[in-house]
Amino acid sequence: MLGTKWMAKLRAGLVAAGLLAVAACGGAADSADGPVRVSVWAWYPEFKGVVDAFNASHKDIQVDWTNVGTGPDQYAKLKTAFTAGKGAPDVAMVEFQQIPTFVILDALVDMGQYGANDDKNLYAEWAWSQATDGDKVYAIPVDGGPMALMYRKDLFDQHGIPVPKTWQEYADAAVKIKAVDPNAYIASFGSDGGWLNGLMWQAGCRPYGYSQAQAKDQVKINLTAPECEKVVNLYGDLVNKGLMAQDKFFTADATAALDSGKYWTWAAAGWTPGYVAGSLKNTAGKWAVAPMPQWTAGADEQGDWGGSTFTVTKQAKNPQAAATVARELFGRSKAAWDIGLNKAFLYPLVKDVAADPAFTGKAYDFFNGQKVNEIFVPVSEKLGEFQYTPFQDFVFKDLNDRAAEAMSGSRQWSTVLEETQKNVVAYAEKQGFKVSR
C-alpha cells in the first residue's frame, strides 16, 4: 500500500483538479434471502437486454443496473463515492484509461483471487494487458476501438483522388479536396484526447508508463517524443492551411458536416459503424473503410480509440459474486454478444467473437455492403502494449486545452506537446510522483 501521507496528497490533488466533485450515489443492497444482488453502473447502449440475459441464466446472482451518466459523469460520482467510502456500486463500467486512476485510489478489487486470470486467453492481448498489472486483474475487457479510415468513397472515386495509404498522401489529398470543393475539408480536428491519443499510438508513440506493481510512485511522461510530435505537427499544419476543420466530434455541427460532404474522411474506430448508421442518414451507402494511412509506406502500425471494461469496486458487498458478474455479463455469453454486436454495435475484445465469420463477414448497408470488420479485426490483433497514467483525465484535458489554443492562433502547434508535457510533469510531481521519460 502507498504511504498514508502520499495517498492523502494524491487525493487532495485530485480534489483540487476537480476530479473528486459531485454527490455520491448509492448502490443496491444484497438481499437477505434469495439470490445475491449485485449493483452495476454502466452506460452501454441496449444494456437492459444484456442484464436480462444474465439474470435469466443465473439463479444465484441477479444484477440491479443503473445508468448514472456517461463517462465523465459516472467517473465523478465514482470518485466521490470512493473518497467517501460509501455509495459506489458493486460493479462499474470503466474505460481503459481510467483504470490506473482507480487502482491508485485503492478502489478496485483484484479479481485474480476469484479466478479471473483464467480468462486471459479469452481477450485480445493488448486489452488484457491494460486491464491487469502482473497477476492482478483489475478489469474485464468488453469492447475496444481499433482505428481505420472512414472515407466518402463516392467523392474520392468521382474526382479521381486516391485513397491515402500514407500520411503524406493524406496531406496531399487534403489539398486536392480543397481544390475540388473550397467548402470541403479532408476531416475535422475533433478536440478529443482519446482520438489524438489513438493517432499517436498508431504513430509508434508510447508517451506514458505506469505500473503500481513495479513502482507505485513512479510514472513515465514523454509526450515530446518525435513519434508523438509528428502527429500533432501534421494535423496542426492541415488546420493552419485551412485544409482541416475544427468542429468537435459528436456535436450537431460535426454530424451535419459528415452527412453533407463537408468532411471527406474520419480516422475513426471499430465502434464507428453503429454510430454513423444511427446518425448519418443522407450519406448512407456512400462511405467506405480503408486501413489507416501509415507514416512509412508499407508499414502496418495501428492504434486504438476507446474501449471499456467491467471493474469490481472495493465497496462490493460480495466481491466474489461481483467478479462473476464482471466476467460473465459479456464474456462467453452468446445472448449478450448478440445484443452487443447487432444492437449496441460494440467492437468485441473477446477474440473468438471478433474472429467469428458472423462478425468479420457482416456486411453493412451504411458502407454499401462492405464487410468493414475485415479491416478492424486485424487492427486489434496487431495492437501492441500501451499504458496510461493514474491521472489521464488531467492529461487529456491539458492536451485538449493546448490544442484549442493552437486552433485559435494563440499558440504555435509546435509547442502544444511541449507545454502539455511541462504541465503534466508539474501536476504529477505535485501529487508526489517521480517522473521519468
Side-chain angles (χ1 to χ4, degrees), residues 104-181:
I104 206 167
L105 292 176
D106 196 26
L108 302 183
V109 169
D110 167 20
M111 287 180 276
Q113 61 190 310
Y114 301 112
N117 277 302
D118 293 344
D119 297 344
K120 178 178 180 178
N121 293 329
L122 188 65
Y123 296 98
E125 291 182 11
W126 68 268
W128 188 256
S129 175
Q130 289 189 16
T132 59
D133 194 353
D135 290 333
K136 294 185 181 297
V137 182
Y138 292 113
I140 301 297
V142 178
D143 69 303
M147 297 183 75
L149 187 69
M150 193 174 84
Y151 69 100
R152 280 289 300 272
K153 187 177 188 304
D154 61 324
L155 295 177
F156 274 85
D157 288 350
Q158 177 184 344
H159 297 287
I161 300 175
V163 178
K165 295 182 179 180
T166 68
W167 286 109
Q168 181 57 58
E169 291 177 4
Y170 185 85
D172 294 342
V175 175
K176 295 174 183 177
I177 289 168
K178 185 61 70 172
V180 166
D181 182 353

Side-chain angles (χ1 to χ4, degrees), residues 28-31 35-39 55 60-64 90 317:
D30 285 348
S31 173
V36 176
R37 306 206 70 86
V38 174
S39 58
N55 287 343
D60 297 332
I61 305 173
Q62 294 288 282
V63 168
D64 296 317
D90 302 318
K317 290 161 285 298

